[in-house]
Amino acid sequence: PTVVHTEMRSRRTRMSPEPEAIGEDAPAVVVEEAEELLGNDEAPEQSTTPVGRVYAFYERLSTTFSWRYVAIVSLVYGVNQGVGEACLFTAQKYYLFDYLKLTPARYSKVDGFANIPWQVKALYGMVSDSFSIYGLRKTPYIILASIGGIVSAASLWLARLDYQTAAALLLIANLSIASPDVMIDGTTAENSRKFPKLAADLQTLSWASLYGCAMVANLAVGELVKPSSIGARGVFGLLWLTSLAALLPACLGWLGERPATVIHEASSDRKRVFACAFATCAVSVAVGSL
């Protein structure tokens, strides 16, 4: 009984906050308080307002990837693709029917031919990864596609064309939207692998830019395409502005791409993937032309 009483007393002594008991237990208390303070510093109170959350979203991406990269993703997806698709697809219908007086059967053929760039998107990434231009695998392709978009839009706007030439220019116009989209997708995938926690934010940036701008553009283009307004050819004239929105930041290097110093030799796996992509595109074109 005496031994038990001694053990219980010793326990009360260790648990007691008396000054004599401050020894081995003191550091543990100090560390615990320090961890609580550190946790409060690392998790600052976030804004609960919608504007504050949007600001924090863009600030988070700009801090990690630079504001230039965030801007070029927003411009390519939002202006070049979102606004460009709305203008191109709407103006194309009115232009082919009202200006060129095509029959529904011939319109279907021209429309299928003009949409080939969307059916062969699987090839763009393979080509850009396999064939670099001055060591760059994304930026030059965006520049070339944007230049093609400006030329085709200006021609459809200003020149009087037959339907064969118009079909070729419409194909180039579609290419100027589809190709930069694939290049930006490639950079988004690369950055998502480097920063997995921000992968969802990058997807949100892309799709929010696309559908936000597309919604506004579709509401406006219905009025602009009317003959009493600027008409279908005038809407084509707006397309060179959307291509310019992708061209300028690409020329300024906002994508942040650096020349590749390592030359990747073609492997058997890459050849098989390229063959599968080509076969997929061939089937897509064949089905689309039916």
Side-chain angles (χ1 to χ4, degrees):
T2 305
V3 176
V4 174
H5 177 73
T6 304
E7 290 178 353
M8 294 298 295
R9 184 176 181 180
S10 64
R11 288 181 184 179
R12 287 196 298 269
T13 302
R14 287 197 299 267
M15 297 175 62
S16 175
E18 294 177 358
E20 302 84 35
I22 299 177
E24 297 179 355
D25 294 340
V29 176
V30 175
V31 171
E32 184 177 357
E33 293 176 354
E35 289 175 352
E36 293 178 358
L37 293 175
L38 182 60
N40 292 334
D41 291 340
E42 290 182 347
E45 184 178 356
Q46 296 181 355
S47 175
T48 57
T49 64
V51 175
R53 290 179 178 178
V54 172
Y55 178 80
F57 169 78
Y58 280 98
E59 184 181 27
R60 182 166 61 250
L61 291 177
S62 299
T63 302
T64 305
F65 303 108
S66 82
W67 67 266
R68 293 177 179 83
Y69 179 76
V70 175
I72 192 173
V73 171
S74 301
L75 289 171
V76 169
Y77 264 99
V79 180
N80 187 59
Q81 185 172 356
V83 178
E85 281 183 352
C87 293
L88 178 60
F89 295 165
T90 304
Q92 175 179 308
K93 296 177 182 179
Y94 286 89
Y95 179 75
L96 295 178
F97 278 127
D98 295 345
Y99 285 86
L100 299 183
K101 307 297 182 182
L102 296 187
T103 63
R106 181 161 291 178
Y107 169 83
S108 179
K109 293 180 179 179
V110 172
D111 182 64
F113 175 77
N115 285 326
I116 287 178
W118 296 99
Q119 299 165 355
V120 298
K121 287 178 65 176
L123 284 178
Y124 302 152
M126 294 297 302
V127 171
S128 65
D129 289 340
S130 301
F131 305 101
S132 63
I133 301 177
Y134 295 106
L136 303 177
R137 301 184 183 276
K138 299 290 188 295
T139 302
Y141 290 95
I142 296 177
I143 293 174
L144 292 175
S146 300
I147 293 174
I150 292 174
V151 173
S152 61
S155 301
L156 290 165
W157 175 30
L158 300 173
R160 294 187 177 276
L161 309 168
D162 53 32
Y163 82 92
Q164 294 94 339
T165 306
L169 292 173
L170 288 171
L171 183 142
I172 298 174
N174 279 280
L175 179 64
S176 71
I177 299 175
S179 179
D181 166 36
V182 175
M183 300 301 113
I184 295 297
D185 278 344
T187 63
T188 300
E190 293 172 0
N191 288 325
S192 296
R193 286 196 297 269
K194 296 178 182 178
F195 303 92
K197 293 184 179 180
L198 294 178
D201 288 349
L202 289 172
Q203 292 297 319
T204 300
L205 174 67
S206 301
W207 292 105
S209 300
L210 172 61
Y211 288 112
C213 293
M215 180 176 61
V216 176
N218 279 294
L219 291 174
V221 74
E223 294 294 328
L224 295 175
V225 80
K226 293 180 179 179
S228 57
S229 184
I230 62 176
R233 292 177 64 182
V235 173
F236 281 136
L238 298 178
L239 285 175
W240 75 270
L241 294 175
T242 63
S243 295
L244 192 66
L247 175 64
L248 289 181
C251 291
L252 294 174
W254 286 11
L255 201 59
E257 191 177 14
R258 296 291 182 268
T261 57
V262 179
I263 300 176
H264 299 280
E265 297 181 358
S267 62
S268 58
D269 291 339
R270 175 170 293 187
K271 291 180 180 179
R272 283 195 292 269
V273 173
F274 198 98
C276 291
F278 184 81
T280 302
C281 295
V283 172
S284 179
V285 171
V287 173
S289 61
L290 294 178

